[in-house]
């Protein structure tokens, strides 16, 4: 911790008398421990939402330090500030437009040069930067010795060493932030400069755009971003300049369209000068723990074995912990509440008791019973991400996922979909590329979840006897084949076949931080209940009403009328109206299909129903029903989270419509083929 | 020949100059120095931000001859697809 800053006027004028909230932005590359530091500083006093108009998570918290109230905004983790992704634009727009009093740049001491790249991008922006040099312990383990004072002297900005996971240095960091915010520290950063061979052209561009740069943007920064070919800045300047003037700028840019590499090289040359004196490596060439572990974890064969074992463990955990809890909640909380409501409303009209007990409590219950499984999945995903393993899983699965236009990181969320599609959609957040994330979300409902497998497990033996296992496996394979095919098609049609470049960091392994994971689980669960929950509840009530009114029984309800009205469509697939109604009610929860069939065939849910069904429908229709059921519109909970995660009704409805068409077409094909085959 | 996102040829013209090989050609444990980068702006932006710039020293940590590979650059381990690694031209370094 250095104390070499000149203290100006600290005794004569106290700026603290003007009481106000100090705005601090927390910036940093991915995997530098930003969440840990954010949680450390704000505790539970934080608010999670989305950045306006974006599906990028925005965390904000408040705390008091030295009598001053601080508002801390967590900027998205990005490697640079060039407009390659929504995250990068959000981070820099926030600093330029909101002008935080201090930007804390969290830097990983173990990958110091690379981490300082973001600092090189932050310094030219109009807010003072304090560098928090995190993971000093890891750097030491990796054989590096870093002298923060030397780095501080070189950079000209405060540098505070810390180990956020062990709460070392946070107090010193805040003390420094406090002093910078109150102008008690002289702030004279040494700015990175463009490589010598491009200095002239940068000046030329600056001259051309002078007077046209819209307000809060710094002119030199805009010129630099133009040279880098930044999409957003180019668009902004093109729109704000007379065409002939822009043409002159464009001419210069065209002649130097290799400048991006020159600008980046300039930043690294600057970084090289900054760290030269501050870092020594007494032990060179030793193999780190991470690289030893990676010999196994990223091996083309052993990596898959390890991944399979971890996934096996995840499912075991889900079934051992999540499912019993789910049953308990269902029986003792949801069931008991419904009974209570029925008893309490027994004096009133029958429909009211039904609405409250089955519609409202049933709907809320469906959402509530999702929670145990979600908590397990969130915890596991958070842990795999926090330890650094997730990137390895993505690495070993990348080749396979590419076949369907997906990213290696899509594998884990999709795989989790076998348990339940809801966490699969929510888990897609780990994918940085927006396009790959969207595609993963859209495809997730095609993964056969346990509820759908339960329907298959009940119906397949009834229809196919000893061939049931074969049929079940066939259904799973069919769903996966449709998923792969849909991936290729949507990718081609909607994203013109582009795929996100596969280039990502494999962070160092480290022990998970339980506090970070706990908060993540809590926040995601709350978000699920608040956002998706409202939709689930609303739809549950509507479907309940449709399946009850006007007569009070499913077989005379509006839903049955819709089913009859849809029968011509159903006939193509070999389904009668009762099977159509079963499909419609499965919208609330997939396992509802069986309950509905039980009511419609007046046979309950036991073996009687299986026999009745087998006697009523030929195998071809049964096969078609299983096919449609497997690929049909996802349950309302999944639709709710698709809406939540895409932030777009358009994509949500597209997904629902797409699955509707795909399932019916597949049903027709299976039905007609089965009939041709004599089933 | 690779093209960028708008279908234009890459703007680098000295690709494959004598003595340089794509990063994907380095075997496990081999080292090299980055000479040239190709690819569209998006990819270039990501590569440079992750530390691949001319002059940077690279060590290949894992390369099985097919599929993605892992390289160490500026103390960080970066996983790259074979296609992406093929856009980074390096000069081999012995020892």
């Amino acid at each position: 911790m250095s104390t070499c800053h000149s203290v100006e006027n600290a005794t004569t004028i106290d700026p603290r008398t003007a009481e106000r909230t100090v705005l601090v932005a927390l910036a940093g590359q991915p995997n530098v421990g930003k969440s840990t530091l954010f949680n450390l500083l704000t505790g539970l006093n934080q608010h999670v939402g989305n950045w306006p108009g974006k599906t990028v998570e925005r965390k904000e918290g408040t705390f008091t330090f030295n009598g001053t109230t601080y508002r801390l905004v967590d900027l998205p983790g990005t490697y640079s500030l060039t407009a390659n992704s929504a995250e990068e634009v959000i981070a820099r727009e926030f600093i330029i437009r909101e002008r935080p009093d201090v930007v804390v740049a969290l830097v990983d001491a173990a990958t110091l040069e690379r981490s300082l790249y973001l600092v090189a991008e932050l310094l030219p922006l109009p807010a003072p930067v304090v560098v928090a040099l995190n993971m000093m312990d890891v750097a030491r383990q990796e054989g590096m010795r870093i002298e923060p004072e030397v780095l501080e002297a070189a950079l000209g900005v405060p540098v505070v060493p810390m180990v956020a996971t062990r709460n070392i240095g946070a107090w010193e960091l805040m003390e420094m932030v406090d002093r910078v915010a109150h102008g008690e520290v002289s702030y004279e950063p040494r700015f990175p400069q463009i490589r010598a061979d491009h200095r002239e052209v940068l000046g030329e561009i600056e001259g051309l755009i002078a007077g046209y740069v819209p307000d809060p943007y710094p002119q030199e920064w805009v010129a630099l971003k133009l040279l880098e070919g930044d999409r957003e800045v180019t668009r902004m300047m093109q729109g704000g300049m007379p065409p002939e003037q822009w043409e002159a700028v464009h001419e210069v840019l065209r002649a130097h369209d290799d400048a991006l590499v020159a600008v980046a090289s300039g930043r690294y040359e600057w970084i090289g000068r900054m760290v030269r004196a501050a870092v020594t490596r007494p032990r060179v060439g030793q193999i780190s723990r991470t690289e030893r572990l990676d010999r196994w974890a990223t091996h083309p064969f052993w990596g898959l074995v390890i991944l399979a074992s971890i996934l096996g463990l995840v499912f075991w955990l889900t079934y051992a912990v999540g499912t019993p809890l789910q049953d308990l909640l269902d029986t003792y909380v949801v069931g008991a509440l419904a009974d209570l409501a029925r008893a309490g409303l027994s004096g009133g009209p029958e429909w009211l008791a039904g609405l409250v007990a089955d519609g409202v409590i049933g709907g809320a219950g469906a959402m509530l019973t999702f929670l145990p499984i979600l908590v397990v999945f969130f915890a596991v995903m958070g842990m795999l991400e926090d330890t650094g393993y997730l990137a390895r899983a993505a690495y070993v699965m990348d080749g396979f996922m590419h076949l369907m236009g997906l990213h290696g990181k899509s594998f884990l969320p999709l795989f989790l979909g076998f348990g339940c599609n809801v966490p699969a959609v929510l888990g897609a957040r780990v994918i940085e590329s927006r396009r790959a994330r969207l595609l993963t979300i859209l495809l997730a409902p095609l993964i056969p979840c346990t509820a759908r497998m339960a329907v298959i497990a009940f119906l397949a033996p009834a229809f196919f006897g000893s061939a049931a296992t074969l049929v079940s496996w066939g259904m799973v394979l069919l769903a996966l084949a449709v998923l792969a095919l849909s991936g290729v098609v949507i990718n081609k049609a909607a994203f013109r076949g582009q795929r996100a470049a596969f280039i990502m960091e494999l962070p160092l392994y480290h022990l998970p931080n339980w506090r970070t994971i706990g908060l993540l689980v809590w926040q995601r669960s709350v978000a699920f209940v608040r956002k998706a929950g409202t939709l689930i509840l609303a739809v549950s009530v509507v479907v309940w009403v449709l399946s009850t009114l006007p007569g009070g029984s499913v077989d005379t309800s509006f839903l049955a009328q819709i089913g009859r009205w849809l029968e011509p469509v159903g006939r193509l697939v070999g389904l009668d109206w009762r099977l159509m109604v079963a499909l419609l009610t499965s919208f609330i929860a997939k396992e509802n299909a069986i309950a509905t069939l039980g009511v419609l065939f007046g046979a309950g849910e036991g073996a009687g129903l299986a026999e009745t069904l087998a006697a009523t429908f030929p195998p071809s229709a049964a096969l078609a029903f299983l096919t449609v059921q497997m690929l049909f519109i996802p349950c309302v909970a999944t639709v709710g989270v698709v809406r939540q995660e895409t932030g777009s009704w358009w994509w949500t409805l597209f997904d629902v419509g797409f699955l509707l068409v795909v399932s019916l077409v597949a049903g027709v094909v299976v039905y007609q083929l089965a009939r041709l085959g004599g089933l | 020949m690779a093209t960028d996102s708008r279908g234009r040829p890459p703007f680098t013209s000295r690709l494959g100059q004598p003595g340089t090989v794509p990063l994907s050609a380095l075997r496990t444990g081999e080292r090299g120095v980055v000479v040239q980068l190709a690819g569209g702006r998006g990819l270039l932006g990501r590569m440079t931000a992750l530390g691949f710039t001319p002059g940077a020293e690279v060590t290949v940590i894992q390369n099985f001859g097919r599929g993605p590979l892992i390289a160490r650059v500026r103390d960080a381990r970066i996983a790259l697809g074979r296609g992406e690694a093929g856009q980074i031209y390096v000069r081999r370094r012995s020892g």
Side-chain angles (χ1 to χ4, degrees), chain A residues 79 110-111 113-114 228 257 260-261 264-265 268 281 291 298-300 395 499 501-506 508, chain B residues 11 41 43 46-51 53-54 61-62 64 68-70 72 74-81 84:
Chain A
Y79 290 104
T111 54
E113 282 187 31
R114 223 281 315 288
E228 282 185 86
D257 63 355
L260 188 155
V261 176
S265 302
Y268 277 115
R281 296 158 187 272
E291 276 167 29
T298 61
H299 189 275
Y395 176 77
R499 63 169 187 83
F502 183 67
I503 172 166
M504 64 172 192
E505 184 178 9
L506 300 180
L508 286 170
Chain B
F11 45 71
R41 286 212 178 278
L43 179 59
R46 281 186 68 80
M47 289 195 298
T48 52
L50 284 167
T53 51
I61 300 179
Q62 189 193 83
F64 284 95
L69 52 95
I70 307 174
R72 184 173 47 220
R74 300 184 194 275
D75 296 316
R77 291 142 309 278
I78 311 292
L80 306 105
E84 286 77 17

Side-chain angles (χ1 to χ4, degrees), chain A residues 419-470:
Chain A
C420 172
N421 290 170
V422 171
V425 172
L426 293 171
R429 283 188 185 199
V430 297
I431 306 161
E432 288 111 21
S433 147
R434 175 166 162 73
R435 210 171 47 214
R437 192 190 311 151
L438 182 60
L439 191 56
T440 308
I441 292 171
L442 295 180
L443 293 178
L446 281 168
I447 299 278
C449 65
T450 42
R452 266 178 279 182
M453 290 311 291
V455 176
I456 300 251
F458 177 78
L459 292 178
F463 285 124
F464 303 104
S466 57
T469 314
L470 197 68

